PDB file of all heavy atoms in Angstrom:
ATOM      1  N   GLU D  50      30.720 -16.130  -5.926  1.00 97.00           N
ATOM      2  CA  GLU D  50      31.910 -16.875  -5.505  1.00 97.00           C
ATOM      3  C   GLU D  50      33.116 -15.950  -5.362  1.00 97.00           C
ATOM      4  O   GLU D  50      33.944 -16.130  -4.452  1.00 97.00           O
ATOM      5  CB  GLU D  50      32.191 -17.991  -6.514  1.00 97.00           C
ATOM      6  CG  GLU D  50      31.129 -19.083  -6.508  1.00 97.00           C
ATOM      7  CD  GLU D  50      31.296 -20.077  -7.640  1.00 97.00           C
ATOM      8  OE1 GLU D  50      32.212 -19.848  -8.483  1.00 97.00           O
ATOM      9  OE2 GLU D  50      30.531 -21.053  -7.698  1.00 97.00           O
ATOM     10  N   ASN D  88      14.965  -6.146 -21.760  1.00 87.00           N
ATOM     11  CA  ASN D  88      15.194  -6.059 -23.204  1.00 87.00           C
ATOM     12  C   ASN D  88      14.068  -5.324 -23.920  1.00 87.00           C
ATOM     13  O   ASN D  88      14.101  -5.139 -25.134  1.00 87.00           O
ATOM     14  CB  ASN D  88      15.385  -7.450 -23.818  1.00 87.00           C
ATOM     15  CG  ASN D  88      14.107  -8.288 -23.782  1.00 87.00           C
ATOM     16  OD1 ASN D  88      13.089  -7.854 -23.246  1.00 87.00           O
ATOM     17  ND2 ASN D  88      14.170  -9.484 -24.339  1.00 87.00           N
ATOM     18  N   ILE D  93       5.686   4.071 -21.101  1.00 85.00           N
ATOM     19  CA  ILE D  93       5.373   4.895 -19.938  1.00 85.00           C
ATOM     20  C   ILE D  93       6.567   5.805 -19.671  1.00 85.00           C
ATOM     21  O   ILE D  93       7.713   5.386 -19.796  1.00 85.00           O
ATOM     22  CB  ILE D  93       5.091   4.023 -18.687  1.00 85.00           C
ATOM     23  CG1 ILE D  93       3.785   3.251 -18.865  1.00 85.00           C
ATOM     24  CG2 ILE D  93       5.012   4.876 -17.418  1.00 85.00           C
ATOM     25  CD1 ILE D  93       3.463   2.335 -17.712  1.00 85.00           C
ATOM     26  N   ARG D 111      20.559   1.453 -14.247  1.00 81.00           N
ATOM     27  CA  ARG D 111      19.609   1.866 -13.217  1.00 81.00           C
ATOM     28  C   ARG D 111      18.351   1.001 -13.267  1.00 81.00           C
ATOM     29  O   ARG D 111      17.840   0.577 -12.232  1.00 81.00           O
ATOM     30  CB  ARG D 111      19.249   3.341 -13.418  1.00 81.00           C
ATOM     31  CG  ARG D 111      20.375   4.309 -13.125  1.00 81.00           C
ATOM     32  CD  ARG D 111      20.591   4.475 -11.631  1.00 81.00           C
ATOM     33  NE  ARG D 111      19.458   5.090 -10.988  1.00 81.00           N
ATOM     34  CZ  ARG D 111      19.263   6.399 -10.879  1.00 81.00           C
ATOM     35  NH1 ARG D 111      20.136   7.242 -11.408  1.00 81.00           N
ATOM     36  NH2 ARG D 111      18.202   6.877 -10.264  1.00 81.00           N
ATOM     37  N   ASN D 115      16.942  -1.883 -10.390  1.00 94.00           N
ATOM     38  CA  ASN D 115      15.588  -1.941  -9.836  1.00 94.00           C
ATOM     39  C   ASN D 115      14.992  -3.338  -9.991  1.00 94.00           C
ATOM     40  O   ASN D 115      14.375  -3.882  -9.066  1.00 94.00           O
ATOM     41  CB  ASN D 115      14.689  -0.911 -10.529  1.00 94.00           C
ATOM     42  CG  ASN D 115      15.209   0.503 -10.381  1.00 94.00           C
ATOM     43  OD1 ASN D 115      15.820   0.859  -9.382  1.00 94.00           O
ATOM     44  ND2 ASN D 115      14.965   1.321 -11.396  1.00 94.00           N
ATOM     45  N   VAL D 119      13.716  -6.184  -7.203  1.00 97.00           N
ATOM     46  CA  VAL D 119      12.362  -6.755  -7.225  1.00 97.00           C
ATOM     47  C   VAL D 119      12.427  -8.273  -7.112  1.00 97.00           C
ATOM     48  O   VAL D 119      11.762  -8.881  -6.254  1.00 97.00           O
ATOM     49  CB  VAL D 119      11.623  -6.343  -8.517  1.00 97.00           C
ATOM     50  CG1 VAL D 119      10.346  -7.176  -8.686  1.00 97.00           C
ATOM     51  CG2 VAL D 119      11.260  -4.867  -8.476  1.00 97.00           C
ATOM     52  N   TYR D 120      13.209  -8.902  -7.979  1.00 97.00           N
ATOM     53  CA  TYR D 120      13.260 -10.368  -7.981  1.00 97.00           C
ATOM     54  C   TYR D 120      13.867 -10.922  -6.698  1.00 97.00           C
ATOM     55  O   TYR D 120      13.441 -11.967  -6.202  1.00 97.00           O
ATOM     56  CB  TYR D 120      14.038 -10.863  -9.204  1.00 97.00           C
ATOM     57  CG  TYR D 120      13.186 -10.979 -10.450  1.00 97.00           C
ATOM     58  CD1 TYR D 120      13.365 -10.122 -11.527  1.00 97.00           C
ATOM     59  CD2 TYR D 120      12.192 -11.953 -10.543  1.00 97.00           C
ATOM     60  CE1 TYR D 120      12.586 -10.230 -12.671  1.00 97.00           C
ATOM     61  CE2 TYR D 120      11.402 -12.065 -11.681  1.00 97.00           C
ATOM     62  CZ  TYR D 120      11.601 -11.203 -12.740  1.00 97.00           C
ATOM     63  OH  TYR D 120      10.812 -11.312 -13.870  1.00 97.00           O
ATOM     64  N   LYS D 144      26.491   4.747  14.289  1.00 95.00           N
ATOM     65  CA  LYS D 144      26.381   4.670  15.743  1.00 95.00           C
ATOM     66  C   LYS D 144      25.607   3.416  16.120  1.00 95.00           C
ATOM     67  O   LYS D 144      24.954   2.795  15.277  1.00 95.00           O
ATOM     68  CB  LYS D 144      25.650   5.896  16.297  1.00 95.00           C
ATOM     69  CG  LYS D 144      26.278   7.232  15.945  1.00 95.00           C
ATOM     70  CD  LYS D 144      25.413   8.380  16.451  1.00 95.00           C
ATOM     71  CE  LYS D 144      25.979   9.730  16.042  1.00 95.00           C
ATOM     72  NZ  LYS D 144      25.106  10.848  16.470  1.00 95.00           N
ATOM     73  N   VAL D 151      14.563  -0.683  14.509  1.00 93.00           N
ATOM     74  CA  VAL D 151      14.540  -0.540  13.055  1.00 93.00           C
ATOM     75  C   VAL D 151      13.361  -1.303  12.464  1.00 93.00           C
ATOM     76  O   VAL D 151      12.567  -0.756  11.689  1.00 93.00           O
ATOM     77  CB  VAL D 151      15.863  -1.045  12.436  1.00 93.00           C
ATOM     78  CG1 VAL D 151      15.769  -1.054  10.905  1.00 93.00           C
ATOM     79  CG2 VAL D 151      17.028  -0.181  12.892  1.00 93.00           C
ATOM     80  N   PHE D 152      13.210  -2.550  12.856  1.00 93.00           N
ATOM     81  CA  PHE D 152      12.149  -3.368  12.271  1.00 93.00           C
ATOM     82  C   PHE D 152      10.780  -3.037  12.851  1.00 93.00           C
ATOM     83  O   PHE D 152       9.755  -3.390  12.261  1.00 93.00           O
ATOM     84  CB  PHE D 152      12.466  -4.848  12.436  1.00 93.00           C
ATOM     85  CG  PHE D 152      13.462  -5.357  11.435  1.00 93.00           C
ATOM     86  CD1 PHE D 152      14.788  -5.535  11.784  1.00 93.00           C
ATOM     87  CD2 PHE D 152      13.081  -5.617  10.132  1.00 93.00           C
ATOM     88  CE1 PHE D 152      15.715  -5.995  10.862  1.00 93.00           C
ATOM     89  CE2 PHE D 152      13.995  -6.068   9.195  1.00 93.00           C
ATOM     90  CZ  PHE D 152      15.323  -6.252   9.559  1.00 93.00           C
ATOM     91  N   PHE D 189      -1.968  12.479  -5.346  1.00 97.00           N
ATOM     92  CA  PHE D 189      -1.174  13.240  -6.311  1.00 97.00           C
ATOM     93  C   PHE D 189      -0.340  14.338  -5.646  1.00 97.00           C
ATOM     94  O   PHE D 189       0.495  14.963  -6.300  1.00 97.00           O
ATOM     95  CB  PHE D 189      -2.078  13.863  -7.367  1.00 97.00           C
ATOM     96  CG  PHE D 189      -2.691  12.866  -8.311  1.00 97.00           C
ATOM     97  CD1 PHE D 189      -4.034  12.549  -8.232  1.00 97.00           C
ATOM     98  CD2 PHE D 189      -1.911  12.223  -9.265  1.00 97.00           C
ATOM     99  CE1 PHE D 189      -4.602  11.619  -9.088  1.00 97.00           C
ATOM    100  CE2 PHE D 189      -2.469  11.299 -10.134  1.00 97.00           C
ATOM    101  CZ  PHE D 189      -3.820  10.990 -10.043  1.00 97.00           C
ATOM    102  N   TRP D 199      13.772   1.837   3.876  1.00 92.00           N
ATOM    103  CA  TRP D 199      12.678   0.943   3.501  1.00 92.00           C
ATOM    104  C   TRP D 199      12.693  -0.359   4.294  1.00 92.00           C
ATOM    105  O   TRP D 199      13.647  -1.144   4.204  1.00 92.00           O
ATOM    106  CB  TRP D 199      12.757   0.599   2.006  1.00 92.00           C
ATOM    107  CG  TRP D 199      12.649   1.795   1.121  1.00 92.00           C
ATOM    108  CD1 TRP D 199      11.579   2.630   0.986  1.00 92.00           C
ATOM    109  CD2 TRP D 199      13.648   2.291   0.219  1.00 92.00           C
ATOM    110  NE1 TRP D 199      11.859   3.612   0.066  1.00 92.00           N
ATOM    111  CE2 TRP D 199      13.123   3.432  -0.414  1.00 92.00           C
ATOM    112  CE3 TRP D 199      14.942   1.866  -0.105  1.00 92.00           C
ATOM    113  CZ2 TRP D 199      13.829   4.168  -1.365  1.00 92.00           C
ATOM    114  CZ3 TRP D 199      15.656   2.591  -1.039  1.00 92.00           C
ATOM    115  CH2 TRP D 199      15.093   3.728  -1.659  1.00 92.00           C
ATOM    116  N   ASP D 202       7.385  -4.932   3.600  1.00 96.00           N
ATOM    117  CA  ASP D 202       6.470  -6.012   3.930  1.00 96.00           C
ATOM    118  C   ASP D 202       6.329  -6.859   2.668  1.00 96.00           C
ATOM    119  O   ASP D 202       5.739  -6.416   1.678  1.00 96.00           O
ATOM    120  CB  ASP D 202       5.113  -5.453   4.376  1.00 96.00           C
ATOM    121  CG  ASP D 202       4.130  -6.542   4.793  1.00 96.00           C
ATOM    122  OD1 ASP D 202       3.958  -7.520   4.041  1.00 96.00           O
ATOM    123  OD2 ASP D 202       3.525  -6.403   5.872  1.00 96.00           O
ATOM    124  N   ILE D 214       1.773  -6.897 -13.030  1.00 96.00           N
ATOM    125  CA  ILE D 214       1.895  -7.861 -14.128  1.00 96.00           C
ATOM    126  C   ILE D 214       0.526  -8.174 -14.728  1.00 96.00           C
ATOM    127  O   ILE D 214       0.359  -8.226 -15.957  1.00 96.00           O
ATOM    128  CB  ILE D 214       2.580  -9.145 -13.639  1.00 96.00           C
ATOM    129  CG1 ILE D 214       4.049  -8.871 -13.316  1.00 96.00           C
ATOM    130  CG2 ILE D 214       2.477 -10.253 -14.692  1.00 96.00           C
ATOM    131  CD1 ILE D 214       4.772 -10.052 -12.712  1.00 96.00           C
ATOM    132  N   LYS D 215      -0.460  -8.355 -13.872  1.00 96.00           N
ATOM    133  CA  LYS D 215      -1.816  -8.650 -14.345  1.00 96.00           C
ATOM    134  C   LYS D 215      -2.383  -7.471 -15.131  1.00 96.00           C
ATOM    135  O   LYS D 215      -3.074  -7.645 -16.140  1.00 96.00           O
ATOM    136  CB  LYS D 215      -2.725  -8.980 -13.160  1.00 96.00           C
ATOM    137  CG  LYS D 215      -4.129  -9.378 -13.567  1.00 96.00           C
ATOM    138  CD  LYS D 215      -4.966  -9.770 -12.359  1.00 96.00           C
ATOM    139  CE  LYS D 215      -6.373 -10.183 -12.762  1.00 96.00           C
ATOM    140  NZ  LYS D 215      -7.196 -10.569 -11.571  1.00 96.00           N
ATOM    141  N   ALA D 231       9.684   3.687  -5.223  1.00 95.00           N
ATOM    142  CA  ALA D 231       8.665   4.701  -5.493  1.00 95.00           C
ATOM    143  C   ALA D 231       7.323   4.020  -5.767  1.00 95.00           C
ATOM    144  O   ALA D 231       6.273   4.455  -5.280  1.00 95.00           O
ATOM    145  CB  ALA D 231       9.080   5.569  -6.677  1.00 95.00           C
ATOM    146  N   SER D 256      11.400  19.261   3.043  1.00 83.00           N
ATOM    147  CA  SER D 256      12.215  18.282   2.335  1.00 83.00           C
ATOM    148  C   SER D 256      13.474  17.983   3.134  1.00 83.00           C
ATOM    149  O   SER D 256      14.192  18.899   3.545  1.00 83.00           O
ATOM    150  CB  SER D 256      12.589  18.807   0.948  1.00 83.00           C
ATOM    151  OG  SER D 256      13.617  18.037   0.381  1.00 83.00           O
ATOM    152  N   SER D 268      23.875  32.064  12.587  1.00 85.00           N
ATOM    153  CA  SER D 268      25.238  32.597  12.618  1.00 85.00           C
ATOM    154  C   SER D 268      25.982  32.288  13.904  1.00 85.00           C
ATOM    155  O   SER D 268      27.185  32.550  13.992  1.00 85.00           O
ATOM    156  CB  SER D 268      25.205  34.122  12.416  1.00 85.00           C
ATOM    157  OG  SER D 268      24.403  34.743  13.423  1.00 85.00           O
ATOM    158  N   ASN D 320      24.583   6.190  -1.282  1.00 86.00           N
ATOM    159  CA  ASN D 320      25.753   6.986  -1.686  1.00 86.00           C
ATOM    160  C   ASN D 320      26.525   7.564  -0.506  1.00 86.00           C
ATOM    161  O   ASN D 320      27.061   8.670  -0.587  1.00 86.00           O
ATOM    162  CB  ASN D 320      25.328   8.124  -2.638  1.00 86.00           C
ATOM    163  CG  ASN D 320      24.593   7.625  -3.851  1.00 86.00           C
ATOM    164  OD1 ASN D 320      25.018   6.668  -4.493  1.00 86.00           O
ATOM    165  ND2 ASN D 320      23.473   8.233  -4.166  1.00 86.00           N
ATOM    166  N   ARG D 325      32.051  10.287   1.625  1.00 58.00           N
ATOM    167  CA  ARG D 325      32.547  10.606   2.961  1.00 58.00           C
ATOM    168  C   ARG D 325      33.952  11.203   2.871  1.00 58.00           C
ATOM    169  O   ARG D 325      34.720  10.850   1.996  1.00 58.00           O
ATOM    170  CB  ARG D 325      32.568   9.346   3.836  1.00 58.00           C
ATOM    171  CG  ARG D 325      31.178   8.773   4.091  1.00 58.00           C
ATOM    172  CD  ARG D 325      31.240   7.627   5.065  1.00 58.00           C
ATOM    173  NE  ARG D 325      31.442   8.108   6.429  1.00 58.00           N
ATOM    174  CZ  ARG D 325      31.807   7.337   7.447  1.00 58.00           C
ATOM    175  NH1 ARG D 325      32.040   6.063   7.249  1.00 58.00           N
ATOM    176  NH2 ARG D 325      31.951   7.825   8.658  1.00 58.00           N
TER     177      ARG D 325
END
Side-chain angles (χ1 to χ4, degrees):
E50 292 172 356
N88 68 357
I93 292 178
R111 291 284 295 273
N115 301 328
V119 168
Y120 275 111
K144 303 176 183 177
V151 173
F152 281 101
F189 290 107
W199 299 296
D202 182 311
I214 291 175
K215 183 177 181 180
S256 166
S268 58
N320 304 313
R325 296 186 75 194

